[in-house]
Amino acid sequence: MRLRVYLDVLRTPSVSRLLGSAVVGRMPTAMAGLAIVLLVREAGASYAVAGLVAGAYSIALALTSPLLGRLVDRVGQTRVLVGSAAASALSFGALAAAGRSASPAVLAVLAALAGASIPPVAACMRALWSELLGHGGQLQAAFAVESTVQELIFVIGPPLVALLAAVFSPAAAVLGTGALLLIGVGVFAATPASRAWRGQRRAADWAGPLRSRGIRAVLASIVLLAGAFGIVEVTVVADAEQLGSRTLAGPLLALWAAGSMIGGLAFGSRASDRGPEQRMIGLLFLVVAGIALLAVAGGLVQLGAGMVLAGLGIAPAIACLYLLVDRLAPAGTVTEAFTWVTTAFATGFAVGNALGGTLVQQVGIDAAFLIAAGGVAAAALLARLRRHALAAPPAGMPETREGLGRAG
């Protein structure tokens, strides 16, 4: 592996501070869903109800992310990030305070408020990469670094939720989620590179990045992929409970993320003559095989090993998706384009979370894993069918992003 390219990216001024604070600020990505499920389950509700409450969080995040992204493209990052982080942290606090005493409907509303105000720090980080590194070969390495390093969120987040829930309570895990969000986003927003960033001029139309056929194809694949991940998340909690303790879900999900980190390091620095739209398909089928193996895992050790295998293709596949979005986004819409990625993931997770609880109760754990594997296969098939839209430059846009399509 050629790890030097990663080191070169990390040595770029401001990158380490931005990337580190972005990881902390994005901890709700890995913590909120599990913390909400544990909070609702502690109150005695079913997995189906827990999935619906977690889904309310994800749906709200999906609906508002593009609006916040468009606002960032117009007014800059600082005010949007700071204001939304404060609102989301307060909502997490209210959700934790409601705890056992509130009805599922109230918990769903509070979860939705927390999700609706999640700041678009991930999209802001991705918009900064080209400002910091230009559009040359280092940009691919940057997205590979991010897709690998962001797995630290999923390595640290679920075990941290499990620890806080076991030592204190699920409410403490929800509070911790809000606190980390506020700290990470605050440091990120105070960084000079973030404070100075301004979007390009854009065409005056309502569709923004969605007028690109390639962007629409990427987002459709992401929805299917994230739906499968949402099913796996809830199913792992149920499997862990069957093995003796719901809190085992945290370490198991961390192993999934660890597998993704290994895959990101293994594949992310490799040169290739194929474009990201081609490389992504094979990587997604690697994820399919790994998730399918979870259905035949017979105990905790086998399940843990299966989670590592199921993660190997995730980070490098997501890096390919980021490259495609950066290449295909029309000028002046890059932050909004990346928030649509967040929306697509959140929408898929919401459906997957809600469907996962129902599948566990109706068809069982093994069948739920197989259905999740089928969702990833559908994402790969869609990418294959729409490969021309993914490979083509954005036609008729104010500005074409170049230098990324065939980069290794």
Short mmCIF file of all heavy atoms in Angstrom, two decimals, residues 115-180:
data_model
loop_
_atom_site.label_atom_id
_atom_site.label_comp_id
_atom_site.label_asym_id
_atom_site.label_seq_id
_atom_site.Cartn_x
_atom_site.Cartn_y
_atom_site.Cartn_z
N GLY A 115 -32.51 15.82 14.66
CA GLY A 115 -32.03 15.51 13.32
C GLY A 115 -32.16 16.66 12.36
O GLY A 115 -31.28 16.90 11.51
N ALA A 116 -33.24 17.44 12.48
CA ALA A 116 -33.49 18.54 11.56
C ALA A 116 -32.43 19.63 11.65
O ALA A 116 -32.20 20.36 10.67
CB ALA A 116 -34.87 19.14 11.83
N SER A 117 -31.79 19.77 12.80
CA SER A 117 -30.82 20.84 12.99
C SER A 117 -29.37 20.35 13.01
O SER A 117 -28.46 21.10 13.37
CB SER A 117 -31.13 21.59 14.29
OG SER A 117 -31.29 20.70 15.38
N ILE A 118 -29.13 19.11 12.59
CA ILE A 118 -27.76 18.61 12.51
C ILE A 118 -26.97 19.47 11.51
O ILE A 118 -27.38 19.62 10.36
CB ILE A 118 -27.73 17.14 12.06
CG1 ILE A 118 -28.20 16.23 13.20
CG2 ILE A 118 -26.34 16.72 11.61
CD1 ILE A 118 -27.21 16.07 14.32
N PRO A 119 -25.85 20.05 11.91
CA PRO A 119 -25.10 20.92 10.99
C PRO A 119 -24.43 20.10 9.89
O PRO A 119 -24.00 18.97 10.13
CB PRO A 119 -24.06 21.57 11.92
CG PRO A 119 -23.92 20.63 13.07
CD PRO A 119 -25.25 19.99 13.26
N PRO A 120 -24.31 20.66 8.69
CA PRO A 120 -23.73 19.91 7.55
C PRO A 120 -22.21 19.94 7.56
O PRO A 120 -21.57 20.32 6.57
CB PRO A 120 -24.31 20.65 6.34
CG PRO A 120 -24.44 22.06 6.80
CD PRO A 120 -24.83 21.98 8.27
N VAL A 121 -21.61 19.52 8.66
CA VAL A 121 -20.16 19.63 8.78
C VAL A 121 -19.45 18.70 7.80
O VAL A 121 -18.38 19.03 7.28
CB VAL A 121 -19.72 19.35 10.24
CG1 VAL A 121 -20.05 17.93 10.67
CG2 VAL A 121 -18.24 19.66 10.43
N ALA A 122 -20.02 17.53 7.51
CA ALA A 122 -19.40 16.63 6.56
C ALA A 122 -19.35 17.25 5.17
O ALA A 122 -18.32 17.21 4.48
CB ALA A 122 -20.16 15.30 6.51
N ALA A 123 -20.46 17.84 4.73
CA ALA A 123 -20.48 18.50 3.43
C ALA A 123 -19.52 19.67 3.39
O ALA A 123 -18.86 19.92 2.36
CB ALA A 123 -21.90 18.96 3.11
N CYS A 124 -19.42 20.41 4.48
CA CYS A 124 -18.49 21.54 4.53
C CYS A 124 -17.04 21.05 4.43
O CYS A 124 -16.22 21.69 3.76
CB CYS A 124 -18.70 22.32 5.83
SG CYS A 124 -20.25 23.24 5.90
N MET A 125 -16.72 19.95 5.07
CA MET A 125 -15.38 19.39 4.97
C MET A 125 -15.07 19.00 3.53
O MET A 125 -13.99 19.30 2.99
CB MET A 125 -15.27 18.17 5.89
CG MET A 125 -13.91 17.48 5.88
SD MET A 125 -12.60 18.38 6.73
CE MET A 125 -11.59 18.93 5.35
N ARG A 126 -16.03 18.34 2.87
CA ARG A 126 -15.80 17.90 1.50
C ARG A 126 -15.70 19.08 0.53
O ARG A 126 -14.97 19.01 -0.45
CB ARG A 126 -16.91 16.93 1.08
CG ARG A 126 -16.85 15.62 1.85
CD ARG A 126 -18.13 14.83 1.81
NE ARG A 126 -18.12 13.84 2.88
CZ ARG A 126 -19.21 13.31 3.41
NH1 ARG A 126 -20.41 13.68 2.98
NH2 ARG A 126 -19.12 12.42 4.37
N ALA A 127 -16.43 20.13 0.80
CA ALA A 127 -16.33 21.33 -0.03
C ALA A 127 -14.97 22.01 0.12
O ALA A 127 -14.48 22.67 -0.80
CB ALA A 127 -17.44 22.31 0.33
N LEU A 128 -14.34 21.85 1.29
CA LEU A 128 -13.05 22.48 1.54
C LEU A 128 -11.88 21.74 0.89
O LEU A 128 -10.82 22.32 0.69
CB LEU A 128 -12.79 22.57 3.05
CG LEU A 128 -13.54 23.66 3.82
CD1 LEU A 128 -13.37 23.46 5.32
CD2 LEU A 128 -13.05 25.04 3.40
N TRP A 129 -12.06 20.46 0.57
CA TRP A 129 -10.93 19.69 0.06
C TRP A 129 -10.32 20.34 -1.19
O TRP A 129 -9.10 20.47 -1.31
CB TRP A 129 -11.35 18.26 -0.26
CG TRP A 129 -11.43 17.33 0.90
CD1 TRP A 129 -12.50 16.55 1.27
CD2 TRP A 129 -10.41 17.04 1.87
NE1 TRP A 129 -12.21 15.82 2.40
CE2 TRP A 129 -10.94 16.09 2.78
CE3 TRP A 129 -9.11 17.50 2.06
CZ2 TRP A 129 -10.20 15.60 3.86
CZ3 TRP A 129 -8.37 17.00 3.13
CH2 TRP A 129 -8.93 16.06 4.02
N SER A 130 -11.15 20.72 -2.15
CA SER A 130 -10.61 21.30 -3.38
C SER A 130 -9.96 22.67 -3.12
O SER A 130 -9.03 23.06 -3.82
CB SER A 130 -11.70 21.43 -4.45
OG SER A 130 -12.77 22.23 -3.98
N GLU A 131 -10.46 23.38 -2.09
CA GLU A 131 -9.84 24.66 -1.72
C GLU A 131 -8.45 24.43 -1.13
O GLU A 131 -7.52 25.21 -1.37
CB GLU A 131 -10.71 25.39 -0.70
CG GLU A 131 -12.10 25.75 -1.21
CD GLU A 131 -12.07 26.92 -2.18
OE1 GLU A 131 -11.13 27.72 -2.10
OE2 GLU A 131 -12.99 27.00 -3.02
N LEU A 132 -8.30 23.38 -0.38
CA LEU A 132 -7.04 23.11 0.29
C LEU A 132 -6.03 22.40 -0.60
O LEU A 132 -4.82 22.60 -0.46
CB LEU A 132 -7.29 22.24 1.54
CG LEU A 132 -8.13 22.89 2.66
CD1 LEU A 132 -8.54 21.84 3.68
CD2 LEU A 132 -7.34 24.01 3.33
N LEU A 133 -6.52 21.55 -1.53
CA LEU A 133 -5.63 20.68 -2.29
C LEU A 133 -5.69 20.88 -3.79
O LEU A 133 -4.89 20.30 -4.53
CB LEU A 133 -5.97 19.20 -1.98
CG LEU A 133 -5.88 18.79 -0.51
CD1 LEU A 133 -6.41 17.38 -0.34
CD2 LEU A 133 -4.45 18.88 -0.02
N GLY A 134 -6.65 21.66 -4.29
CA GLY A 134 -6.82 21.80 -5.73
C GLY A 134 -7.56 20.59 -6.29
O GLY A 134 -8.11 19.77 -5.56
N HIS A 135 -7.56 20.47 -7.62
CA HIS A 135 -8.29 19.39 -8.27
C HIS A 135 -7.37 18.34 -8.88
O HIS A 135 -7.75 17.64 -9.82
CB HIS A 135 -9.21 19.97 -9.36
CG HIS A 135 -10.33 20.78 -8.80
ND1 HIS A 135 -11.40 20.22 -8.16
CD2 HIS A 135 -10.52 22.13 -8.78
CE1 HIS A 135 -12.22 21.19 -7.77
NE2 HIS A 135 -11.72 22.35 -8.13
N GLY A 136 -6.18 18.20 -8.37
CA GLY A 136 -5.24 17.23 -8.90
C GLY A 136 -5.39 15.86 -8.25
O GLY A 136 -6.40 15.52 -7.66
N GLY A 137 -4.32 15.08 -8.32
CA GLY A 137 -4.35 13.71 -7.83
C GLY A 137 -4.55 13.61 -6.33
O GLY A 137 -5.05 12.60 -5.84
N GLN A 138 -4.14 14.65 -5.59
CA GLN A 138 -4.30 14.59 -4.15
C GLN A 138 -5.76 14.60 -3.71
O GLN A 138 -6.06 14.18 -2.60
CB GLN A 138 -3.57 15.76 -3.47
CG GLN A 138 -2.10 15.49 -3.20
CD GLN A 138 -1.53 16.46 -2.18
OE1 GLN A 138 -1.88 17.63 -2.15
NE2 GLN A 138 -0.63 15.97 -1.33
N LEU A 139 -6.64 15.07 -4.56
CA LEU A 139 -8.04 15.14 -4.18
C LEU A 139 -8.63 13.74 -3.98
O LEU A 139 -9.39 13.50 -3.05
CB LEU A 139 -8.85 15.91 -5.23
CG LEU A 139 -10.30 16.23 -4.85
CD1 LEU A 139 -10.35 17.07 -3.58
CD2 LEU A 139 -11.00 16.96 -5.99
N GLN A 140 -8.26 12.80 -4.86
CA GLN A 140 -8.73 11.44 -4.67
C GLN A 140 -8.20 10.88 -3.35
O GLN A 140 -8.93 10.22 -2.61
CB GLN A 140 -8.26 10.54 -5.81
CG GLN A 140 -8.62 9.06 -5.55
CD GLN A 140 -8.08 8.13 -6.61
OE1 GLN A 140 -8.33 8.35 -7.78
NE2 GLN A 140 -7.36 7.11 -6.20
N ALA A 141 -6.91 11.15 -3.06
CA ALA A 141 -6.34 10.69 -1.80
C ALA A 141 -7.07 11.30 -0.61
O ALA A 141 -7.27 10.65 0.41
CB ALA A 141 -4.85 11.03 -1.74
N ALA A 142 -7.48 12.57 -0.75
CA ALA A 142 -8.19 13.24 0.34
C ALA A 142 -9.51 12.56 0.63
O ALA A 142 -9.87 12.33 1.79
CB ALA A 142 -8.42 14.71 0.00
N PHE A 143 -10.27 12.23 -0.41
CA PHE A 143 -11.54 11.55 -0.19
C PHE A 143 -11.33 10.14 0.36
O PHE A 143 -12.13 9.65 1.15
CB PHE A 143 -12.36 11.51 -1.48
CG PHE A 143 -13.01 12.82 -1.81
CD1 PHE A 143 -12.77 13.46 -3.01
CD2 PHE A 143 -13.89 13.42 -0.91
CE1 PHE A 143 -13.38 14.67 -3.31
CE2 PHE A 143 -14.50 14.63 -1.21
CZ PHE A 143 -14.24 15.26 -2.41
N ALA A 144 -10.24 9.49 -0.07
CA ALA A 144 -9.91 8.18 0.50
C ALA A 144 -9.56 8.30 1.98
O ALA A 144 -9.97 7.49 2.81
CB ALA A 144 -8.77 7.53 -0.27
N VAL A 145 -8.78 9.35 2.31
CA VAL A 145 -8.45 9.60 3.72
C VAL A 145 -9.71 9.83 4.53
O VAL A 145 -9.91 9.24 5.60
CB VAL A 145 -7.51 10.82 3.85
CG1 VAL A 145 -7.45 11.30 5.29
CG2 VAL A 145 -6.12 10.47 3.37
N GLU A 146 -10.60 10.68 4.00
CA GLU A 146 -11.81 11.00 4.76
C GLU A 146 -12.70 9.79 4.95
O GLU A 146 -13.21 9.52 6.04
CB GLU A 146 -12.60 12.11 4.07
CG GLU A 146 -13.79 12.55 4.91
CD GLU A 146 -14.75 13.45 4.17
OE1 GLU A 146 -14.43 13.84 3.03
OE2 GLU A 146 -15.80 13.76 4.73
N SER A 147 -12.92 9.02 3.88
CA SER A 147 -13.81 7.87 3.98
C SER A 147 -13.24 6.80 4.91
O SER A 147 -13.99 6.02 5.50
CB SER A 147 -14.07 7.27 2.60
OG SER A 147 -12.87 6.78 2.01
N THR A 148 -11.90 6.79 5.06
CA THR A 148 -11.27 5.85 5.99
C THR A 148 -11.29 6.39 7.41
O THR A 148 -11.71 5.71 8.35
CB THR A 148 -9.83 5.56 5.56
OG1 THR A 148 -9.84 5.01 4.23
CG2 THR A 148 -9.16 4.57 6.51
N VAL A 149 -10.85 7.65 7.57
CA VAL A 149 -10.80 8.24 8.90
C VAL A 149 -12.19 8.38 9.51
O VAL A 149 -12.37 8.23 10.72
CB VAL A 149 -10.09 9.62 8.85
CG1 VAL A 149 -10.20 10.35 10.18
CG2 VAL A 149 -8.62 9.43 8.49
N GLN A 150 -13.20 8.64 8.66
CA GLN A 150 -14.55 8.80 9.21
C GLN A 150 -15.06 7.51 9.85
O GLN A 150 -15.97 7.54 10.67
CB GLN A 150 -15.52 9.26 8.14
CG GLN A 150 -15.96 8.20 7.16
CD GLN A 150 -17.01 8.72 6.20
OE1 GLN A 150 -17.45 9.85 6.30
NE2 GLN A 150 -17.40 7.88 5.26
N GLU A 151 -14.42 6.38 9.50
CA GLU A 151 -14.83 5.14 10.15
C GLU A 151 -14.46 5.12 11.62
O GLU A 151 -14.98 4.31 12.39
CB GLU A 151 -14.21 3.94 9.43
CG GLU A 151 -14.72 3.74 8.00
CD GLU A 151 -16.22 3.54 7.93
OE1 GLU A 151 -16.79 3.01 8.90
OE2 GLU A 151 -16.82 3.91 6.91
N LEU A 152 -13.54 6.02 12.03
CA LEU A 152 -13.28 6.16 13.46
C LEU A 152 -14.55 6.52 14.21
O LEU A 152 -14.73 6.15 15.38
CB LEU A 152 -12.23 7.26 13.70
CG LEU A 152 -10.78 6.93 13.32
CD1 LEU A 152 -9.91 8.17 13.44
CD2 LEU A 152 -10.26 5.81 14.21
N ILE A 153 -15.44 7.25 13.51
CA ILE A 153 -16.73 7.58 14.11
C ILE A 153 -17.47 6.31 14.49
O ILE A 153 -18.05 6.20 15.58
CB ILE A 153 -17.58 8.42 13.13
CG1 ILE A 153 -16.85 9.71 12.76
CG2 ILE A 153 -18.95 8.72 13.69
CD1 ILE A 153 -17.48 10.44 11.59
N PHE A 154 -17.43 5.34 13.60
CA PHE A 154 -18.19 4.11 13.82
C PHE A 154 -17.43 3.10 14.67
O PHE A 154 -18.03 2.17 15.21
CB PHE A 154 -18.57 3.50 12.47
CG PHE A 154 -19.46 4.40 11.66
CD1 PHE A 154 -18.93 5.25 10.70
CD2 PHE A 154 -20.82 4.43 11.89
CE1 PHE A 154 -19.73 6.10 9.97
CE2 PHE A 154 -21.65 5.28 11.16
CZ PHE A 154 -21.10 6.11 10.19
N VAL A 155 -16.11 3.27 14.76
CA VAL A 155 -15.33 2.44 15.68
C VAL A 155 -15.53 2.92 17.11
O VAL A 155 -15.69 2.13 18.05
CB VAL A 155 -13.83 2.47 15.31
CG1 VAL A 155 -12.99 1.81 16.40
CG2 VAL A 155 -13.61 1.76 13.98
N ILE A 156 -15.52 4.24 17.31
CA ILE A 156 -15.61 4.82 18.64
C ILE A 156 -17.05 5.00 19.09
O ILE A 156 -17.40 4.74 20.25
CB ILE A 156 -14.88 6.18 18.67
CG1 ILE A 156 -13.39 5.99 18.37
CG2 ILE A 156 -15.07 6.87 20.02
CD1 ILE A 156 -12.64 7.29 18.16
N GLY A 157 -17.93 5.45 18.18
CA GLY A 157 -19.28 5.83 18.55
C GLY A 157 -20.12 4.74 19.20
O GLY A 157 -20.60 4.91 20.34
N PRO A 158 -20.34 3.60 18.53
CA PRO A 158 -21.19 2.57 19.14
C PRO A 158 -20.68 2.03 20.47
O PRO A 158 -21.46 1.91 21.43
CB PRO A 158 -21.22 1.48 18.06
CG PRO A 158 -21.01 2.22 16.79
CD PRO A 158 -20.03 3.30 17.13
N PRO A 159 -19.35 1.72 20.62
CA PRO A 159 -18.90 1.30 21.95
C PRO A 159 -19.07 2.38 23.01
O PRO A 159 -19.33 2.08 24.18
CB PRO A 159 -17.42 0.96 21.74
CG PRO A 159 -17.29 0.68 20.30
CD PRO A 159 -18.27 1.60 19.63
N LEU A 160 -18.90 3.65 22.61
CA LEU A 160 -19.09 4.74 23.56
C LEU A 160 -20.55 4.80 24.01
O LEU A 160 -20.84 5.01 25.21
CB LEU A 160 -18.66 6.06 22.94
CG LEU A 160 -18.79 7.31 23.82
CD1 LEU A 160 -17.99 7.15 25.11
CD2 LEU A 160 -18.33 8.55 23.05
N VAL A 161 -21.47 4.63 23.08
CA VAL A 161 -22.89 4.57 23.44
C VAL A 161 -23.14 3.41 24.39
O VAL A 161 -23.82 3.55 25.42
CB VAL A 161 -23.77 4.42 22.18
CG1 VAL A 161 -25.21 4.09 22.55
CG2 VAL A 161 -23.74 5.70 21.36
N ALA A 162 -22.59 2.24 24.06
CA ALA A 162 -22.78 1.07 24.91
C ALA A 162 -22.21 1.30 26.30
O ALA A 162 -22.82 0.91 27.32
CB ALA A 162 -22.13 -0.16 24.26
N LEU A 163 -21.03 1.93 26.38
CA LEU A 163 -20.40 2.19 27.68
C LEU A 163 -21.24 3.16 28.50
O LEU A 163 -21.51 2.92 29.70
CB LEU A 163 -19.00 2.76 27.46
CG LEU A 163 -18.22 3.15 28.71
CD1 LEU A 163 -17.95 1.92 29.57
CD2 LEU A 163 -16.91 3.84 28.33
N LEU A 164 -21.65 4.26 27.89
CA LEU A 164 -22.46 5.25 28.61
C LEU A 164 -23.79 4.65 29.06
O LEU A 164 -24.27 4.93 30.17
CB LEU A 164 -22.70 6.47 27.73
CG LEU A 164 -21.48 7.35 27.44
CD1 LEU A 164 -21.81 8.41 26.40
CD2 LEU A 164 -20.98 8.01 28.72
N ALA A 165 -24.40 3.83 28.19
CA ALA A 165 -25.68 3.22 28.54
C ALA A 165 -25.53 2.21 29.67
O ALA A 165 -26.39 2.12 30.55
CB ALA A 165 -26.29 2.54 27.31
N ALA A 166 -24.42 1.45 29.66
CA ALA A 166 -24.21 0.42 30.68
C ALA A 166 -23.81 1.03 32.02
O ALA A 166 -24.29 0.61 33.08
CB ALA A 166 -23.15 -0.58 30.21
N VAL A 167 -22.92 2.03 32.00
CA VAL A 167 -22.42 2.62 33.24
C VAL A 167 -23.41 3.62 33.82
O VAL A 167 -23.61 3.68 35.04
CB VAL A 167 -21.05 3.29 33.00
CG1 VAL A 167 -20.57 4.02 34.25
CG2 VAL A 167 -20.03 2.26 32.56
N PHE A 168 -24.03 4.40 32.95
CA PHE A 168 -24.98 5.43 33.41
C PHE A 168 -26.39 5.07 32.95
O PHE A 168 -27.14 4.46 33.69
CB PHE A 168 -24.55 6.81 32.91
CG PHE A 168 -23.19 7.23 33.37
CD1 PHE A 168 -22.11 7.17 32.51
CD2 PHE A 168 -22.98 7.66 34.66
CE1 PHE A 168 -20.84 7.54 32.93
CE2 PHE A 168 -21.72 8.04 35.10
CZ PHE A 168 -20.63 7.98 34.22
N SER A 169 -26.73 5.44 31.72
CA SER A 169 -28.06 5.17 31.19
C SER A 169 -28.07 5.52 29.71
O SER A 169 -27.19 6.24 29.23
CB SER A 169 -29.12 6.02 31.92
OG SER A 169 -28.95 7.38 31.60
N PRO A 170 -29.06 5.03 28.96
CA PRO A 170 -29.18 5.47 27.56
C PRO A 170 -29.35 6.98 27.43
O PRO A 170 -28.90 7.56 26.44
CB PRO A 170 -30.43 4.72 27.07
CG PRO A 170 -30.47 3.48 27.90
CD PRO A 170 -30.01 3.93 29.26
N ALA A 171 -29.98 7.61 28.42
CA ALA A 171 -30.11 9.07 28.37
C ALA A 171 -28.75 9.75 28.39
O ALA A 171 -28.53 10.76 27.71
CB ALA A 171 -30.96 9.55 29.55
N ALA A 172 -27.81 9.20 29.15
CA ALA A 172 -26.46 9.76 29.17
C ALA A 172 -25.79 9.62 27.80
O ALA A 172 -25.02 10.50 27.38
CB ALA A 172 -25.62 9.06 30.24
N ALA A 173 -26.07 8.52 27.11
CA ALA A 173 -25.53 8.34 25.76
C ALA A 173 -26.08 9.40 24.81
O ALA A 173 -25.36 9.92 23.95
CB ALA A 173 -25.85 6.94 25.26
N VAL A 174 -27.36 9.72 24.94
CA VAL A 174 -27.96 10.76 24.10
C VAL A 174 -27.34 12.12 24.42
O VAL A 174 -27.01 12.91 23.52
CB VAL A 174 -29.49 10.79 24.29
CG1 VAL A 174 -30.11 11.96 23.53
CG2 VAL A 174 -30.11 9.48 23.82
N LEU A 175 -27.15 12.42 25.70
CA LEU A 175 -26.51 13.67 26.09
C LEU A 175 -25.08 13.77 25.56
O LEU A 175 -24.64 14.82 25.08
CB LEU A 175 -26.50 13.80 27.62
CG LEU A 175 -27.79 14.27 28.30
CD1 LEU A 175 -27.61 14.21 29.81
CD2 LEU A 175 -28.14 15.70 27.86
N GLY A 176 -24.35 12.67 25.66
CA GLY A 176 -22.99 12.65 25.15
C GLY A 176 -22.93 12.91 23.66
O GLY A 176 -22.01 13.57 23.17
N THR A 177 -23.92 12.40 22.94
CA THR A 177 -23.98 12.64 21.50
C THR A 177 -24.09 14.13 21.20
O THR A 177 -23.36 14.66 20.35
CB THR A 177 -25.19 11.90 20.90
OG1 THR A 177 -25.07 10.50 21.16
CG2 THR A 177 -25.29 12.13 19.40
N GLY A 178 -24.97 14.82 21.90
CA GLY A 178 -25.13 16.26 21.69
C GLY A 178 -23.89 17.04 22.08
O GLY A 178 -23.53 18.02 21.41
N ALA A 179 -23.23 16.64 23.17
CA ALA A 179 -22.04 17.35 23.63
C ALA A 179 -20.90 17.25 22.62
O ALA A 179 -20.22 18.25 22.31
CB ALA A 179 -21.60 16.81 24.98
N LEU A 180 -20.67 16.06 22.09
CA LEU A 180 -19.61 15.88 21.10
C LEU A 180 -19.90 16.66 19.82
O LEU A 180 -18.99 17.23 19.20
CB LEU A 180 -19.42 14.39 20.79
CG LEU A 180 -18.80 13.57 21.91
CD1 LEU A 180 -18.84 12.09 21.57
CD2 LEU A 180 -17.36 14.00 22.18
#
